[in-house]
Amino acid sequence: MASILAIFGIVLFFFTFIGIVLYVIFALSFYRITVNAGIENPWLACIPIVQFYILAKIIKTLQISGYEIPNLEFILPGATILVMLLRDVPVIGSLLAVANFILILFALNKLYRLYKPEQAVLYTVLSIFSLPIPFIFLTIKDLKRLE
């Protein structure tokens, strides 16, 4: 029993360490993108929910099927908070989570099109898996905005 707990502890430590490293890579890269975009208070790029506010400030507008989302800087973090609050509601929580995920993918696609349009589709598809996002941000952190 003790050996099983030890193995579990090692695995837990390993994945926690990897998660922290990925978060640091993402946060520092996003901070750099924020500084280059001239956004006030770029340190906010290191705060998880506020990152969506910063993302919206960088991309400015988002159109989905011809509809422009108003007040994007409040919709992105607000939708994420709403998903967190309603995640345990059987059907609504799941639908909101999927809708929020799709909204975030559209926002990321817009960001990728602003910095590296030739790779935007590939980066968006990779972003579905979440794990590549810190490395994608690492590749675009020093690029100039094209639009």
Side-chain angles (χ1 to χ4, degrees):
M1 183 67 172
S3 62
I4 292 173
L5 287 176
I7 291 171
F8 178 73
I10 291 170
V11 170
L12 183 65
F13 174 78
F14 175 75
F15 283 111
T16 301
F17 179 75
I18 294 298
I20 291 170
V21 168
L22 288 174
Y23 178 75
V24 168
I25 291 170
F26 173 77
L28 292 176
S29 299
F30 196 38
Y31 173 82
R32 182 73 177 170
I33 292 168
T34 304
V35 168
N36 289 341
I39 304 295
E40 290 183 28
N41 302 318
W43 58 271
L44 291 174
C46 299
I47 301 172
I49 299 295
V50 183
Q51 290 169 339
F52 295 115
Y53 173 81
I54 297 296
L55 175 61
K57 293 295 262 185
I58 292 171
I59 65 174
K60 294 183 173 94
T61 63
L62 183 61
Q63 284 194 342
I64 300 175
S65 297
Y67 176 74
E68 185 172 326
I69 299 174
N71 301 318
L72 186 62
E73 61 272 5
F74 300 111
I75 297 292
L76 277 178
T80 303
I81 292 169
L82 189 64
V83 166
M84 291 169 60
L85 293 174
L86 298 177
R87 70 174 180 221
D88 292 330
V89 177
V91 176
I92 295 173
S94 299
L95 290 175
L96 284 174
V98 170
N100 186 50
F101 183 69
I102 292 169
L103 180 64
I104 291 169
L105 284 177
F106 272 101
L108 287 173
N109 179 265
K110 172 83 183 269
L111 179 76
Y112 301 150
R113 283 187 286 125
L114 290 175
Y115 288 94
K116 207 164 185 184
E118 68 277 359
Q119 298 292 324
V121 173
L122 173 65
Y123 287 171
T124 304
V125 171
L126 289 173
S127 295
I128 292 171
F129 304 105
S130 298
L131 189 63
I133 294 174
F135 302 107
I136 294 169
F137 275 53
L138 191 62
T139 63
I140 67 172
K141 71 179 174 58
D142 292 320
L143 298 177
K144 298 290 182 215
R145 184 183 174 123
L146 299 178
E147 280 184 30

